[in-house]
Amino acid sequence: MPRAFNLTYPTSTVLLAIRQGHRYGFDIMDATGLPDGTVYPILRRLEKRGALEGAWEDEEEARAEGRPARRYYALTREGEAAAAEALERFPVLGRIFDAGRDPGFT
Amino acid sequence: MIRRVLFTVIRLGSLVVPAGRRESWRREWSAEVGYALHTLEGRGRRGLLARASLIVRTCWCLTDAAWVRAEAVSVREIGRRVRSAWRGLKRTPGVTASVLLTLAVGIGACTALFSVAYAVLLRPLPFPEPSRLAVIWAETRSAVGRPLPVDAPDVALIREQARAFEGISFVRTVTDGTLDGEGEAESIALARVTGNFFDVLGVSPELGRGLKPGDGRLTPAQAARDDDDLTPLPPTAVVLSHGLWVRRFGGDPAVLGRAVQIDGNPAVVVGVMPAEFRVPAPAGSGIPSEIDAWTPVRFDLSLLRRTERLEDQDSRNGGIVLARLRNGVSAGAASRELAAASTSLRRESTAGREAGFRLVLAPLRDEVGRAARPLLLALLGAAGLVLLVGCLNVAGLLLARSLARGRDRAVRVAMGADRGRLILDALTEAGVLAVLGGGVGVALAVLGAPRLVGLLPESIPRLSEATTSLPALAFAALVAALSVLVFGTIPALRAARVDPALVLSGGRSLGTRGATSIRMILVGGQLALVTVLVMGSALLLRTVENLERTDLGFQPDGVMTFDLSLVLRDGYRGPADRARFLSELEQRLSGLPGVRAVGTTGILPLSGRRFEQPYALAGQGSLGADPGRRAAFRVVTGGYFRAVGTKVLAGRSFIPADDDQNRRVAIVDEALARRISGRHPTAAAVGTPILIPVDGEEVRAEIVGVVESGRQDGLRAESEPAVYVPYRHEASRNVSVLVRTAGSTEALSGPIRAALRDMDPRLAIHGMRTLESLVSRQVAPTRFFLGILVAFGALALLLAGIGVFGLVAYEARSRRREIGVRAALGATRGRLLGKVLRRSLAVGGGGTLVGVGVTLGISRLVGSVIYEASPAEPGILAFASAVVLAVTALGSWIPARSAARTDPMEVLREE
């Protein structure tokens, strides 16, 4: 099935950062090092095209940590496939993101 | 505090997001920013940078919001919005028209100037791989930042040592020549270049071939011969410009192989360059970009290095080095090689190498535009200021318009319209205005750019390349987008702050007080910018005055000058012959009606040429021992000082008896005399001996006179010490003759030509012009800039005046009731008038103060344009403040007066 979005370098970086376990906006900005203004539009586009799923964090959990509930992003099946393709296309990203990949998180 | 700022930004952003997603969007950003802020707390000063970057990051939520909004809008929706914005604009045709006019003029002026600045400063040179082209200059400690030509022998060493270059070509600085053959002798601009010149640039001729290394090369014996040995040399090659080919040879392709004479020597035409080819002449190189013909340098540069042939005024060895870097070699690497070459050159130094000598590399494109850069950037800056004034003005107009339509919007909000929509509608309106205004502006720029090019001083290079190009269009789009940001944002944000309950219940329309203070700031801003423009104009006016009042050290009015090249195969051999010829010519010219004085010099003042040599004072070492002792050298005839109008302060001018080679004499200028005489009056220099090089030898000359110092190199250049020697002692072949007349200089040109033709028809006169024209050519760029700035300043003053008018009129209207009541209670008209005026004058005063501060801050940036004038001069400050306050007063007076005439009965009846 053809993808509904272009797998550009910034998009790939965002996908792989999320796959590595960075789940919310500012965390993804920090992890990717992309210019601040580009990350949210990528998230919006990926979510709209079905590669990401955004969900609100449980209020209770957030309150326990003394902060407001966040919106967490996770890869859908399509997003996982896109992330794998991204790794093939930009092998250098694998060295950045796969090396530090949390083994318990897939 | 920071928390409030951040959450306000998020709230603003949320207004843009479609209502359905607004809450979720706001919650997400608030959670992120709230948590980031929480982790920063308690970090005190250490967190300062982190806080700043958090603010920046938070501001990006605006683009996210715009993105979310854009995603929700379809093309059809956009079309509908634009049409509705256009309908809204049509409802207020007056405001719309004035906004469009203001934007069009501002954007048009900026775009036109940008297209010129782009062509001159930024556009790559029209040669293959232009970024690899560079100039090599020499620099010395006494002339840091003032690039000097490189000597030919030095070029040979650079060629041997530097590997970073694919090719190094050399252009000698002497560029006047005489073309003879069939028809009359003609003066041409002739460039003597190394055979690889065209290859380095990467250009091919349109006909025949270019020059080749080895073309016209002389044998060592021929090259080393005496300057006055005029036995025939083997023919050389010559490449013609398209212009010369058409003018002289009727564009005949059979010109190839034709024999001509150049400066009396045989030459064969080998090629013709294309019409569009212009020499990329570095600023200050003295090479005109319009060259008529190119011939090869006839000596082998490395031979020159071995023989260390000393320079003299005719075989001046200096020139411009144009080089092409090897593919992939960086400018840094090339510079390092040049530094190494400089060290070698210093080590094996010839006498008189100045202290701190080094070779410097500069990109050719930057060097071509260097002299024009400050002027063009200043012009562009001025146009930008006018546009900014225009934008602030438009912001004020749109704000007023949006206040007037407050009721409209209140109804929409009351009926459930989304506030984000209100902002977006206002921004759409601003966008439509910017697109239309920008479109008209670009049209104005396309029409105006050629006219602007016609107005610009001819000294600016590459003007023929100035057309409205794609980058200029991109620039116009960028400027239009930035304008929307400046003039659209504030009215758009104000549009959302509407309280339907208050407005519809008949209260004051909406946050009027807040809106008024925003408008005051907008008007104050305009007045501040106008102050900058007015002060700039005043500074330039003072600069032009100062330049024209400069003591030149000579009297340019009533002097006609022309250049002669005394180079012929069978004539003017030896100094005595040339001196005799000039003496006879001077005598004949003196006999022309109205002529007061005639003189000859090797280098004309303000001609852009200079010749510097070492000197020494007797008993203080030999020539070149003290690198600081260098002076400009000029050969002159006895009549020169009277002809040019330079006063002899002490001693005398040259007399025929000075021609005696056994008794050397010199005249020095005041600056040098002061160095010689120390604490004594400069006249004490007369009679003292000085060591100077003549014909490559050190000679001892007696100073017989002291003359005024003069601005020989430029009106702004400080006079440098100068030594004058009698023409007979170093009889330069290239001379300028000056004829001072009591009558009209124009009337002289015919008789001068006739006299010369009578004496020798084979000699061509080069560059007949008045001395005055050389002076005005120096002032022309500044004068032009002044003209433009005054026009811009007037335009901006008009706009700001309208802004003030609008502000006061609006305020007067909204305070009509208060004024009416005051009048009813017995306030006099004068008092009411004062009350209204006081506020606008305060705005004017504030604006002026800010403008003065800004000018003081930025005047350094354009320092090279300004001459001996300072923005802190009381005269300039007073002038600028007076102009700006007068415009403020004028703009306020009319509405304030009508407000003060308010009839209290009428107002109370309206209640």
Side-chain angles (χ1 to χ4, degrees), chain B residues 811-848:
Chain B
E811 211 197 332
R813 209 178 322 119
S814 59
R815 287 170 64 186
R816 195 171 140 79
R817 195 165 64 171
E818 176 198 333
I819 292 169
V821 170
R822 279 176 192 270
L825 290 175
T828 62
R829 266 186 197 172
R831 251 187 110 111
L832 291 173
L833 192 65
K835 206 169 157 43
V836 182
L837 276 182
R838 205 175 303 142
R839 193 121 145 217
S840 63
L841 284 178
V843 172
T848 312

Side-chain angles (χ1 to χ4, degrees), chain B residues 366-628:
Chain B
D366 296 1
E367 286 302 296
V368 171
R370 181 163 47 84
R373 181 186 305 264
L375 176 69
L376 287 176
L377 291 185
L379 280 176
L380 200 53
L385 282 184
V386 174
L387 177 62
L388 204 53
V389 171
C391 283
L392 295 183
N393 199 293
V394 168
L397 283 174
L398 292 183
L399 196 62
R401 180 169 166 276
S402 106
L403 291 180
R405 296 200 318 202
R407 217 182 148 76
D408 237 28
R409 273 198 316 278
V411 173
R412 281 174 64 189
V413 171
M415 292 174 70
D418 174 10
R419 277 166 209 264
R421 272 290 295 275
L422 293 184
I423 293 185
L424 216 64
D425 283 347
L427 280 177
T428 311
E429 241 176 45
V432 169
L433 285 170
V435 168
L436 290 176
V440 178
V442 167
L444 286 180
V446 170
L447 292 176
R451 235 148 266 171
L452 177 72
V453 167
L455 287 174
L456 282 164
E458 282 167 31
S459 56
I460 296 181
R462 304 182 72 189
L463 283 180
S464 59
E465 294 174 47
T467 48
T468 314
S469 51
L470 206 61
L473 293 182
F475 177 81
L478 178 77
V479 167
L482 285 177
S483 315
V484 173
L485 225 60
V486 176
F487 74 74
T489 316
I490 294 171
L493 293 180
R494 296 294 309 183
R497 293 177 62 172
V498 54
D499 181 350
L502 190 64
V503 175
L504 298 178
S505 67
R508 292 173 72 175
S509 56
L510 62 135
T512 326
R513 192 161 294 274
T516 307
S517 45
I518 292 175
R519 291 192 69 190
M520 277 169 66
I521 292 170
L522 291 176
V523 170
Q526 288 174 55
L527 292 170
L529 295 171
V530 167
T531 309
V532 175
L533 284 170
V534 172
M535 283 187 76
S537 307
L539 276 170
L540 277 180
L541 189 66
R542 184 58 57 85
T543 297
V544 169
E545 267 177 20
N546 287 343
L547 285 176
E548 283 178 347
R549 227 186 282 141
T550 307
D551 182 12
L552 296 166
F554 59 89
Q555 304 296 326
D557 44 322
V559 180
M560 186 56 117
T561 84
F562 60 92
D563 302 340
L564 274 183
S565 207
L566 299 178
V567 190
L568 279 181
R569 187 147 43 100
D570 54 353
Y572 315 115
R573 293 184 184 193
D577 213 12
R578 293 197 282 274
R580 205 165 27 245
F581 171 81
L582 281 179
S583 157
E584 194 194 328
L585 177 67
E586 286 190 359
Q587 228 159 34
R588 279 190 184 222
L589 296 179
S590 302
L592 295 177
V595 170
R596 289 277 172 83
V598 182
T600 307
T601 174
I603 295 178
L604 202 61
L606 304 180
S607 61
R609 289 163 55 191
R610 60 182 281 118
F611 180 63
E612 215 176 65
Q613 295 229 83
Y615 70 89
L617 302 181
Q620 296 183 2
S622 61
L623 283 181
D626 178 354

